[in-house]
């Protein structure tokens, strides 16, 4: 029936748009469910009592306890591993952001031979799987005495984060008008001061996005952290989580509570900076 | 307050010669306009003076002091940027006082001066607003205010009016002139608008493809353009050019002949040309008149289009196959297709070399004898 009497195009368009909107919405919900389910499962498991855990699989927990969190808080996990990770991630973030900022400004403010070529080359690094550098890096680190040393891991994490941070910052700074900085220079500021006064406030979203990326990468990085910090006192959160899994008497409640605890800093970061992240990353993505 | 000298200044962008051996001297307290079409190197020249761009060769002096090795902050200049370049996160007052604060003036002095400037520019009510809440015209005033709050020895302005609407542009133009005169200061003003150049400048420097074409007072440049480019760029509507004209002598009578009409050149010698040489004849639309009855007309033409401008009438015509335009005072009833007789005063014509485009100096006999 409907196909034999084609509706006028004008009235059909909004209907089709509505259909499209519903479809898009549904797709997003399904995707979100798929992505969020493991996290939900982790939270749900972490608040179950031991009895609740052993009485079968359920979507909605039927028992509730914070005992798992209590034991995580009292364990070495927070005292040692979270502390290690916080230190290394913060160090990585500062180091990476400063380097990326300096490099993007070098690229954007000065003209020299091979400027474009080197800028592209940097991102090319991601074409190679990082495992390739695992062994050489291990040797370099051990020769330099950087094993079990937070600065060694900071350096490695910075190497991993730098290309993307550089790219985020460069694209963002490219979109920040240059004239205010030049005006500041003409009206009496040095180059560095002009950048601080005129460009930095406008570049903040890009800088925060790059910093957040570096922090999250360092916080979650497992492979290098595992190889480079075998000393129990130097283990980071991901390495400690893995240890919890492989211990012979695995306590699911504690493991998941630790997992939740490990996710909280990242969630907090996202929540605090959602506004800037969106602006900072979008600039880079659509350039 | 200072004179400015550019000596053999060159700028390359890769293989592109953006500013080509620029020599220019600006007098103390002069309002110098740099005029030229898009891409002619005006902004590049200004930015080199400001220190925002390096020189590939040459020298820049401000007030007798060589400044090209100095960073912008040590050149004692103020600048108004085309898109204002205000500090978005600062208030209007902070923007205006910026230069003074950078110079570490006492806070009381900064406050006093900011107020003074704000009053001068009518910005008193906006002092605590952020620039983005102001209209384009207001933002431009803040940019001007930031420049004049400081007593710089040289003011640079790069198309400061180009983002304003027509009415505001004329108004602000007058304000800038008044401001410059009252500040008694040296100004270099970049524009591609020849009306701005003619109305504001003490002298105009005309650039094309990075090369300085001519420097002179507005009327001098209008009356004696050094080449065909300047002749066509200065003056609205544009000068008529008649290609393939020739110099001709018939007995004692010298004339310049186009393919359809001939202009006698009594009492005139044309120094470096021989008879029969090809020239380009240039005549401004305002120097073509309708012939009065009884007069011998110079040319006959057919009216194509009539554009009444109010005080004047702009008429497009064809003389043979050659198009030309004529600007006459008042309103004149002409209809397309009508045949009219024209006169062209021989004192108002220009001759150019067809190849180089440089002006052929034409002097009256009296001048030549002297
Ligand atoms: N950073 C740069 N790199 C490469 N070429 C440039 C650069 N800056 C300017 N140019 C080129 O130099 C030429 C002159 O530029 P400039 O901005 O001085 O022109 P302009 O006379 O100010 O023109 P407009 O009226 O359009 O502002 C242009 O062709 C431009 O493309
Ligand atoms: Mg320009």
């Amino acid at each position: 029936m409907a196909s034999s009497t084609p509706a006028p195009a004008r009235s059909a368009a909004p209907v089709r748009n509505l259909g499209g909107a519903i479809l898009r919405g549904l797709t997003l919900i399904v995707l979100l469910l798929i992505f969020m389910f493991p996290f939900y499962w982790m939270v749900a498991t972490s608040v179950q009592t031991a009895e609740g855990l052993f009485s079968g699989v359920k979507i909605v927990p039927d028992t509730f306890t914070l005992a798992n969190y209590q034991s995580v808080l009292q364990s070495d996990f927070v005292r040692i591993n979270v502390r290690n990770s916080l230190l290394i991630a913060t160090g990585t973030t500062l180091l990476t952001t400063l380097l990326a900022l300096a490099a993007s400004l070098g690229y954007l403010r000065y003209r020299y031979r091979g400027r474009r070529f080197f800028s592209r080359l940097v991102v090319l690094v991601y074409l190679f799987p990082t495992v390739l550098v695992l062994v050489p890096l291990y040797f370099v680190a051990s020769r330099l005495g950087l094993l079990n040393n937070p600065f060694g891991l900071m350096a490695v994490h910075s190497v991993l984060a730098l290309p993307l941070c550089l790219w985020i910052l460069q694209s963002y700074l490219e979109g920040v008008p240059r004239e205010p900085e030049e005006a500041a220079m003409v009206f009496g500021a040095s180059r560095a001061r002009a950048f601080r006064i005129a460009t930095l406030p406008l570049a903040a979203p890009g800088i925060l996005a790059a910093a957040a990326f570096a922090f999250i990468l360092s916080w979650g990085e497992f492979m290098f952290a595992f190889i480079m910090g075998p000393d129990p006192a130097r283990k980071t959160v991901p390495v400690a989580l893995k240890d919890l899994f492989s211990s012979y008497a695995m306590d699911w409640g504690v493991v998941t509570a630790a997992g939740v605890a490990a996710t909280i800093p990242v969630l907090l970061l996202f929540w605090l900076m959602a506004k800037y992240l969106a602006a900072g990353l979008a600039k880079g993505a659509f350039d | 307050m200072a004179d400015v000298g550019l000596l053999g200044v060159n700028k390359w962008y890769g293989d592109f010669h953006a500013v080509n051996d620029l020599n220019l001297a600006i007098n103390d307290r002069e309002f110098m306009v740099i005029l030229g079409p898009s891409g002619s190197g005006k902004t590049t020249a200004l930015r080199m003076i400001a220190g925002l761009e390096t020189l590939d060769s040459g020298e820049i002096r401000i007030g007798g002091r060589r400044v090209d090795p100095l960073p912008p902050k040590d050149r004692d200049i103020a600048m108004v940027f085309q898109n204002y370049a205000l500090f978005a996160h600062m208030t209007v007052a902070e923007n205006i006082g910026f230069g003074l604060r950078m110079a570490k003036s006492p806070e009381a002095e900064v406050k006093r001066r900011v107020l003074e400037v704000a009053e001068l520019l009518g910005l008193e009510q906006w002092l605590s607003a952020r620039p983005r809440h102001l209209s384009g015209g207001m933002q431009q005033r803040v940019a001007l205010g930031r420049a004049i709050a400081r007593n710089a020895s040289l003011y640079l302005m790069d198309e400061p009016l180009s983002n304003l609407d027509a009415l505001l542009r004329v108004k602000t133009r007058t304000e800038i002139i008044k401001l410059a005169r009252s500040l008694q200061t040296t100004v270099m003003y970049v524009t591609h608008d020849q009306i701005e150049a003619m109305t504001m400048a003490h002298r105009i420097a005309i650039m094309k493809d990075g090369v300085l074409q001519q420097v002179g007072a507005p009327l001098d440049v209008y009356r004696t353009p050094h080449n065909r480019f300047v002749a066509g760029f200065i003056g609205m509507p544009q000068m008529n050019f008649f290609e393939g004209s020739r110099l001709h002598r018939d007995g004692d009578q010298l004339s310049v002949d186009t393919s359809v009409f001939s202009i006698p050149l009594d009492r005139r010698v044309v120094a470096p040309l021989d008879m029969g040489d090809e020239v380009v004849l240039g005549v401004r639309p305002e120097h073509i008149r309708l012939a009065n009855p009884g007069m011998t007309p110079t040319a006959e033409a057919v009216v194509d289009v009539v554009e009444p401008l109010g005080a004047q009438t702009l008429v497009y015509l064809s003389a043979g196959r050659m198009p030309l335009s004529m600007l006459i005072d008042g309103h004149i009833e002409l209809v397309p297709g009508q045949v009219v007789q024209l006169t062209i005063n021989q004192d108002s014509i220009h001759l150019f070399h067809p190849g180089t485009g440089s002006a052929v100096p034409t002097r009256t006999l009296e001048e030549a004898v002297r």
Side-chain angles (χ1 to χ4, degrees):
Chain A
M1 275 288 275
S3 59
S4 64
T5 53
R10 251 166 222 275
S11 66
V15 173
R16 208 177 300 134
N17 283 349
L18 185 64
I22 290 173
L23 199 69
R24 269 199 301 279
L26 279 177
T27 315
L28 276 177
I29 288 170
V30 170
L31 280 176
L32 264 179
L33 279 179
I34 294 173
F35 282 122
M36 293 302 288
F37 185 72
F39 187 68
Y40 167 76
W41 188 257
M42 191 163 76
V43 176
T45 309
S46 70
V47 295
Q48 291 267 56
T49 60
E51 295 76 47
L53 278 173
F54 286 110
S55 59
V57 176
K58 27 204 143 117
I59 301 287
V60 182
D62 53 359
T63 56
F64 181 83
T65 176
L66 288 177
N68 294 325
Y69 284 94
Q70 209 164 10
S71 44
V72 167
L73 282 177
Q74 283 160 359
S75 71
D76 284 349
F77 184 71
V78 170
R79 226 177 327 113
I80 295 177
N81 308 115
V82 170
R83 203 165 146 264
N84 281 344
S85 274
L86 271 180
L87 173 74
I88 288 166
T90 308
T92 302
T93 305
L94 290 178
L95 187 62
T96 312
T97 312
L98 280 178
L99 285 177
L101 199 56
S104 352
L105 283 177
Y107 171 76
L108 291 171
R109 296 288 186 265
Y110 297 90
R111 325 250 128 210
Y112 45 88
R113 279 178 83 84
R115 179 172 157 269
R116 270 178 188 287
F117 174 74
F118 283 114
S119 141
R120 302 240 163 96
L121 201 68
V122 170
V123 186
L124 226 72
V125 169
Y126 283 132
L127 286 184
F128 302 98
T130 33
V131 220
L132 283 184
V133 289
L134 194 61
V135 174
L137 253 175
Y138 178 81
F139 276 112
V140 171
S142 87
R143 284 293 167 83
L144 291 176
L146 287 175
L147 294 183
N148 289 320
N149 181 332
F151 294 105
L153 203 51
M154 272 181 217
V156 170
H157 284 176
S158 295
V159 169
L160 297 179
L162 199 51
L164 192 69
C165 283
L166 196 59
W167 183 68
I168 294 175
L169 261 179
Q170 207 167 286
S171 330
Y172 197 84
L173 283 172
E174 234 159 19
V176 174
R178 222 181 130 171
E179 285 86 357
E181 188 177 318
E182 293 179 336
M185 281 163 72
V186 165
F187 286 99
S190 66
R191 191 179 267 277
R193 193 158 180 210
F195 173 77
R196 239 178 24 242
I197 293 171
T199 305
L200 204 58
L202 305 180
I207 293 170
L208 288 179
F213 171 77
F215 188 93
I216 289 163
L217 180 139
S218 173
W219 183 263
E221 198 279 328
F222 170 74
M223 200 166 60
F224 286 93
F226 179 63
I227 296 288
M228 292 189 52
D231 182 344
R234 294 297 180 195
K235 284 182 179 169
T236 64
V237 165
V239 181
L241 279 178
K242 182 229 145 235
D243 284 356
L244 282 178
F245 273 109
S246 41
S247 55
Y248 52 94
M250 188 157 80
D251 183 339
W252 277 112
V254 172
V255 170
T256 49
V260 173
T263 322
I264 283 172
V266 175
L267 280 182
L268 214 62
L269 206 63
F270 262 105
W271 180 66
L272 283 175
M273 313 218 299
K275 200 171 77 185
Y276 302 108
L277 278 178
L281 290 173
K283 262 294 195 352
F286 298 121
D287 245 26
Chain B
M1 266 161 280
D3 55 342
V4 181
L6 283 82
L7 303 161
V9 171
N10 278 288
K11 179 72 187 179
W12 293 84
Y13 289 117
D15 293 338
F16 182 76
H17 207 163
V19 171
N20 190 340
D21 192 32
L22 180 59
N23 288 286
L24 185 61
I26 297 126
N27 302 320
D28 186 17
R29 297 176 197 195
E30 185 170 31
F31 198 111
M32 171 70 85
V33 170
I34 318 248
L35 176 69
S38 197
S40 54
K42 312 179 293 288
T43 297
T44 308
L46 208 66
R47 288 172 58 84
M48 285 193 287
I49 297 169
L52 298 172
E53 210 76 62
T54 54
L55 281 66
D56 286 321
S57 67
E59 215 177 291
I60 296 177
R61 290 176 177 277
I62 300 176
R65 191 169 60 120
R66 184 160 178 195
V67 297
D68 54 272
L70 303 178
K73 70 182 174 68
D74 298 331
R75 296 190 181 198
D76 193 21
I77 46 177
M79 188 160 174
V80 182
F81 291 76
Q82 179 169 357
N83 40 15
Y84 320 136
L86 296 173
F87 306 120
H89 55 291
M90 296 186 193
T91 63
V92 167
E94 285 165 345
N95 267 283
I96 295 177
F98 183 83
L100 294 167
R101 288 215 171 81
M102 284 285 123
K104 299 206 166 57
S105 303
E107 194 54 28
E109 162 72 12
V110 176
K111 287 232 163 66
R112 190 189 60 74
R113 185 77 185 130
V114 166
L115 246 117
E116 203 174 279
V117 169
E119 255 168 51
L120 188 67
L121 295 170
L123 288 166
E124 301 101 308
Q125 308 103 293
W126 304 102
L127 280 173
S128 53
R130 308 265 158 190
R132 67 167 175 282
H133 294 136
L134 305 183
S135 66
M138 281 293 183
Q139 290 188 28
Q140 188 53 284
R141 278 162 195 238
V142 179
L144 269 174
R146 182 173 62 180
I148 63 173
R150 202 162 80 126
N151 265 320
S153 50
L154 172 65
Y155 290 78
L156 304 174
M157 308 194 182
D158 191 356
E159 312 214 19
L161 306 183
S162 62
N163 286 344
L164 303 183
D165 64 56
L167 217 64
L168 204 54
R169 193 179 303 183
V170 174
K171 191 163 161 269
T172 317
R173 189 168 82 198
T174 324
E175 275 172 13
I176 291 182
I177 299 174
K178 265 199 270 174
L179 218 55
R181 306 283 192 263
S182 71
L183 292 173
Q184 300 258 310
T185 181
T186 314
V187 180
M188 287 187 76
Y189 184 104
V190 162
T191 181
H192 60 250
D193 181 340
Q194 58 118 355
I195 310 252
E196 263 172 42
M198 295 296 282
T199 51
M200 301 177 91
H202 289 135
R203 283 192 302 157
I204 305 177
I206 297 145
M207 291 187 68
K208 181 202 172 202
D209 298 337
V211 180
L212 182 63
Q213 306 287 315
Q214 185 170 357
V215 186
L219 282 179
D220 289 344
V221 178
Y222 171 82
R223 287 192 189 120
T224 43
H226 287 178
N227 60 39
R228 182 174 168 172
F229 172 78
V230 173
F233 202 70
I234 301 271
M236 265 294 269
Q238 210 191 33
M239 183 184 281
N240 295 294
F241 293 107
F242 301 97
E243 315 272 348
S245 304
R246 280 179 198 286
L247 288 179
H248 178 75
R249 186 194 293 276
D250 189 2
D252 274 351
Q253 181 58 59
L254 194 63
S255 67
V256 53
D257 296 358
T258 71
S259 55
V260 290
F261 61 87
S262 166
I263 299 174
L265 300 174
D266 312 323
R267 304 176 289 108
R268 248 167 207 270
V269 292
V270 182
L273 286 180
D274 291 327
M275 289 309 108
D277 276 358
E278 194 181 315
V279 291
V280 176
L281 167 68
V283 185
R284 294 198 183 278
E286 54 271 38
H287 295 147
I288 303 181
R289 303 253 152 263
L290 288 172
N292 293 324
M295 236 169 141
T296 355
T298 315
E300 188 177 86
V302 182
V303 176
D304 292 329
V305 179
V306 180
E307 289 182 357
L309 303 176
Q312 291 162 314
T313 309
L314 178 57
V315 189
Y316 295 95
L317 319 107
S318 309
R321 278 210 255 96
M322 289 185 306
L324 63 120
S325 58
M326 167 174 75
L327 188 66
I328 35 189
D329 287 338
H331 179 72
I332 299 208
E333 283 303 334
L334 289 173
V335 288
Q338 187 178 343
V339 176
V340 291
Q341 308 297 323
L342 309 174
T343 62
I344 298 169
N345 184 340
Q346 57 170 288
D347 292 331
S348 63
I349 66 159
H350 302 267
L351 298 178
F352 304 99
H353 279 284
T356 63
S358 61
V360 176
T362 62
R363 296 175 298 169
T364 61
L365 264 178
E366 293 84 358
E367 280 169 346
V369 167
R370 225 186 292 142

